[in-house]
Amino acid sequence: SLCQHTTHNPNIATMVFTRSIFVGSLVIVSSAVAFQPTLIYQPRRISSHLQSSSEVEEFIATKFPSASNLLAKNNEAMKTISKSELGFTVFAPNEEAFKALGDKKREQLKDVRNDEVTEKVAAYHVIAEPVTEEQLYNSGGVITVGGEVPCERSRSGGLFGVGGKEDGGVELNGAKVLSSKQFNDNGKLCIVHEMNGLISPSILWRYADQLRIPGSK
């Protein structure tokens, strides 16, 4: 669908026509603008010195142990991304993000009764192709192994999310990308994004402590 909206940031075009299209794992919001934007987004804190998938796994296990344990709950998802010819993307919630979940949800993720829910949560944190922070910033969402996750440009200031200004960052389902690290694995690009929260749909928690998710196989 084609829509028109007017921005309130004096550094970007005043009138933007947008159209959402799917390209691979990205939900792209294409724009035809009345004036050339002067605000150029620059990805933050990206490095790319590690050289193998084993080092990627070691990096995640060392810096994001709780995220590593979560991803280990879904072997099929990890096999899917490891077989990708282009590379992969991992959204790794940091330790503070898991602490913010509270004791109950952390225990639910460990409970064997919730393995199906935990596997689904983990699946939402991986993509079977590399997606940079800049691509996330310019997209309307991504298709993860678990399903679609919306992307929005983060805003600072304002009151209750109203009146704030874009701060150059990007959020996925309300969780913000804090930093990104790139890895070269024999020609494949692997990217790990540090997140300040889980990006899986919150509705999944409704099915915790049940035998199975309704409608699942």
Side-chain angles (χ1 to χ4, degrees), residues 84-105:
S84 172
E85 296 181 358
L86 297 175
F88 58 83
T89 302
V90 172
F91 299 99
N94 58 27
E95 293 305 292
E96 289 76 13
F98 280 93
K99 289 180 181 178
L101 287 177
D103 293 339
K104 180 179 180 181
K105 288 183 177 179

Side-chain angles (χ1 to χ4, degrees), residues 180-198:
S180 300
K181 188 178 289 290
Q182 296 184 358
F183 305 82
N184 181 2
D185 180 17
N186 296 320
K188 297 194 299 184
L189 178 61
C190 309
I191 303 176
V192 177
H193 298 295
E194 178 184 0
M195 310 298 299
N196 69 352
L198 275 65

Side-chain angles (χ1 to χ4, degrees), residues 136-137 139-141 150-155 169-174:
L136 293 171
Y137 181 84
S139 74
C151 295
E152 293 182 338
R153 297 180 182 185
S154 58
R155 306 176 71 88
V170 60
E171 295 181 345
L172 289 87
N173 219 9

Side-chain angles (χ1 to χ4, degrees), residues 112-137:
V112 294
R113 295 175 299 171
N114 298 323
D115 279 353
E116 187 178 2
V117 172
T118 304
E119 288 174 6
K120 190 67 173 177
V121 170
Y124 274 96
H125 289 79
V126 293
I127 302 177
E129 63 181 78
V131 181
T132 67
E133 185 179 359
E134 184 173 12
Q135 288 175 310
L136 293 171
Y137 181 84

